[in-house]
Amino acid sequence: MSKVYVDHHETIYCGAEFNSANEITLPAGYESSEYKERVKHVEWEHIVPVESFGRTFIEWRNGAPLCVNKEGEAYKGQRCVNRVSREYRQMQADLYNLHPAIGAVKAMRGNYEFALLPSEKSDLGSCQMKVANKKAEPPIEARGRIARAYLYMDQRYPRYRMSKQQRKLMLEWNKLYPITGWECKRARRIKTIQGNSNPVLKPQCGS
């Protein structure tokens, strides 16, 4: 990911700057009482959570013959499907779905779906990321990129399908928050590394 973000050291949710060692400079006014050990470094966030598509694999749910540890005990879940499924590994590693985030914010979001939470206030001070009732509302500045990550994954991988409610929200955000120059530059770099275009961005970015 260093080649993609070589000149754009900014996290998606809070706009925090980070350096080449992935060390974060927290934005003024950022506050958090949770996950303090994960505040100082960038972690790579799957915008569409791994669990959202991982659970569609039978190996995640039930295991597989190859998923046995040294003690002869069977295991399942992410560890198993990552071992046996090339399709899963491709989805999990897709760069169009990965964005840098403050580790603590990534931990708070977890695998929650995005939603609008108008009655909630941010627990992060100046960072307007809200998490409540197993839902997350991202800052306005991140919503367009989030929407286009969801729409991309939905188009790219037949195995993954958004819920009706989530699709409606992502289509709205995609219209409300236009593609930026940085998104196009990022897409061109990912195409060079990964080999495939992003059809959601291609009409406006031309690549």
Side-chain angles (χ1 to χ4, degrees):
M1 293 298 282
S2 60
K3 292 182 179 179
V4 177
Y5 287 87
V6 62
D7 56 359
H8 193 89
H9 292 175
E10 184 178 285
T11 64
I12 184 166
Y13 296 135
C14 302
E17 295 182 1
F18 60 93
N19 61 23
S20 58
N22 287 337
E23 298 168 333
I24 285 176
T25 300
L26 294 173
Y30 175 93
E31 300 175 3
S32 177
S33 59
E34 297 185 72
Y35 305 104
K36 289 186 177 181
E37 72 282 1
R38 296 174 66 176
V39 166
K40 296 182 180 180
H41 291 88
V42 163
E43 295 183 17
W44 296 97
E45 166 81 316
H46 290 87
I47 300 300
V48 176
V50 168
E51 188 173 2
S52 295
F53 53 83
R55 287 192 175 278
T56 66
F57 290 84
I58 192 170
E59 296 90 350
W60 181 298
R61 303 190 305 271
N62 299 333
L66 288 176
C67 296
V68 179
N69 64 22
K70 293 180 180 179
E71 287 72 38
E73 299 169 332
Y75 58 88
K76 55 185 178 179
Q78 184 175 0
R79 179 185 171 193
C80 180
V81 71
N82 188 64
R83 179 177 180 180
V84 303
S85 174
R86 181 179 180 181
E87 180 187 5
Y88 170 82
R89 291 193 296 271
Q90 182 183 3
M91 295 178 73
Q92 190 272 340
D94 196 306
L95 298 178
Y96 289 112
N97 189 41
L98 286 166
H99 285 266
I102 298 171
V105 181
K106 178 180 183 293
M108 289 178 65
R109 187 264 169 130
N111 60 5
Y112 298 154
E113 284 198 339
F114 288 109
L116 293 175
L117 304 171
S119 63
E120 298 293 333
K121 294 183 178 180
S122 172
D123 292 324
L124 298 173
S126 61
C127 177
Q128 293 301 302
M129 180 74 167
K130 304 176 185 178
V131 180
N133 303 317
K134 297 185 178 181
K135 299 288 183 182
E137 179 187 298
I140 290 173
E141 295 79 7
R143 292 177 188 174
R145 285 172 287 169
I146 287 169
R148 288 179 279 278
Y150 268 86
L151 294 170
Y152 164 79
M153 292 293 284
D154 189 73
Q155 289 189 36
R156 173 71 172 169
Y157 300 105
R159 179 181 288 276
Y160 172 68
R161 285 293 175 263
M162 283 186 276
S163 67
K164 184 177 180 180
Q165 184 176 9
Q166 193 79 154
R167 182 185 299 277
K168 180 181 178 182
L169 183 63
M170 294 306 152
L171 288 171
E172 289 177 357
W173 284 358
N174 183 43
K175 290 180 180 179
L176 283 172
Y177 309 107
I179 295 169
T180 65
W182 160 242
E183 283 183 83
C184 292
K185 181 186 286 188
R186 176 178 177 271
R188 288 191 293 271
R189 291 174 178 176
I190 291 175
K191 181 182 177 182
T192 299
I193 296 169
Q194 192 164 282
N196 68 298
S197 298
N198 184 331
V200 178
L201 299 175
K202 190 173 182 178
Q204 292 188 49
C205 295
S207 60

